[in-house]
Amino acid sequence: AVNFREESDELIGASLVSSDDDVLLISRKGQAIRFKADDSQLRPMGRATSGVTGMKFRGDDSLLSMSVVEAGTDPDVFVVFESGLAKRSKASEWNVKGRAILGVAVAKLSDKGGDLVGALTVEEDDEVLVIFEKGNIVRSRVDEVRLTGRNTMGVQFAKAGRGDSIVAVARNPEREVDEDAVPSNTVSDGDSTGGSE
C-alpha cells in the first residue's frame, strides 16, 4: 500500500477521505496539526509511493495517531497520557494549516503526564477501552472527562497498578463489554475519574 523510506518506519493509520475533509495528526509528545485532505496538500499518488511529509517532529518525537475530521463535523479530540491523565477538546480548537509543520500542543504539558498513549476523535456518548500492559481493560465513557480548551491540563482518568502501565486506548465499537473486562481496582476514585460502573 505504501513504500517506506526507512527500515524503522511503520504504518499507524489508514482512512478514506474526501477533498472536503481534514486530517488531524497527533504525536507521542503531545503535538498536533490539522490540514485539508485536498489536492494541494495530499495530491493523488500511485500505490507504490512513499507519500509526502505529514508532520515534522522535535527530538525523539514520533507520530501516534491519524484521524479524519469529516467536513461539517466538530468531533471531540480525546487524548490519554502514560500517567493516566486525559483531556477532551473540540477539534475546532485546532485551526486548519498546512502539513509538514511541528504543530501545537494538545494540552498544557507537564513532566508528570509523560508521553501520549492514545489519541482519537470521539462523540460525547462514545466509550473507550483503556488497555494495560498486564492485560487489564477498563471501559469508560468519554464524557467522564469534561470538555475543556486545548491549552489546559488533563484530569486523572485511569491509574495503572504497581508494575503496570497503560499501553493503548481504543474506541469501544460495541459500547457493551463483559463485566469481567472492567477491573475496578485499576481506576482511581475522585472527581473526573474513569470507570463506568
Side-chain angles (χ1 to χ4, degrees), residues 72-173:
T73 68
D74 189 17
D76 298 343
V77 178
F78 188 81
V79 298
V80 179
F81 290 86
E82 287 176 324
S83 64
L85 291 177
K87 72 181 302 287
R88 183 167 61 99
S89 303
K90 301 303 290 185
S92 53
E93 290 276 332
W94 286 268
N95 295 326
V96 176
K97 298 184 178 180
R99 57 172 179 80
I101 59 176
L102 291 170
V104 294
V106 299
K108 188 174 181 180
L109 305 177
S110 67
D111 293 338
K112 69 177 183 179
D115 291 347
L116 285 181
V117 292
L120 59 161
T121 54
V122 296
E123 299 299 331
E124 190 174 27
D125 59 349
D126 277 339
E127 292 179 343
V128 293
L129 302 176
V130 181
I131 304 164
F132 293 83
E133 185 177 19
K134 291 187 176 180
N136 290 331
I137 298 175
V138 172
R139 184 191 80 211
S140 296
R141 289 178 56 92
V142 299
D143 62 6
E144 293 175 8
V145 176
R146 66 184 178 89
L147 197 64
T148 60
R150 180 180 58 80
N151 193 31
T152 56
M153 296 183 66
V155 297
Q156 195 67 49
F157 180 67
K159 188 173 181 64
R162 185 182 299 274
D164 203 358
S165 61
I166 301 171
V167 295
V169 180
R171 183 184 293 102
N172 180 12

Side-chain angles (χ1 to χ4, degrees), residues 22-42:
D22 297 339
V23 176
L24 180 69
L25 302 181
I26 300 179
S27 78
R28 295 183 185 279
K29 298 293 185 184
Q31 299 296 115
I33 64 169
R34 179 177 177 176
F35 58 88
K36 296 293 291 183
D38 57 17
D39 289 357
S40 67
Q41 296 292 322
L42 291 176

Side-chain angles (χ1 to χ4, degrees), residues 55-81:
M55 186 175 187
K56 291 185 176 180
F57 307 105
R58 297 181 181 91
D60 62 349
D61 200 1
S62 62
L63 192 62
L64 173 66
S65 73
M66 182 274 296
S67 300
V68 175
V69 180
E70 295 182 357
T73 68
D74 189 17
D76 298 343
V77 178
F78 188 81
V79 298
V80 179
F81 290 86

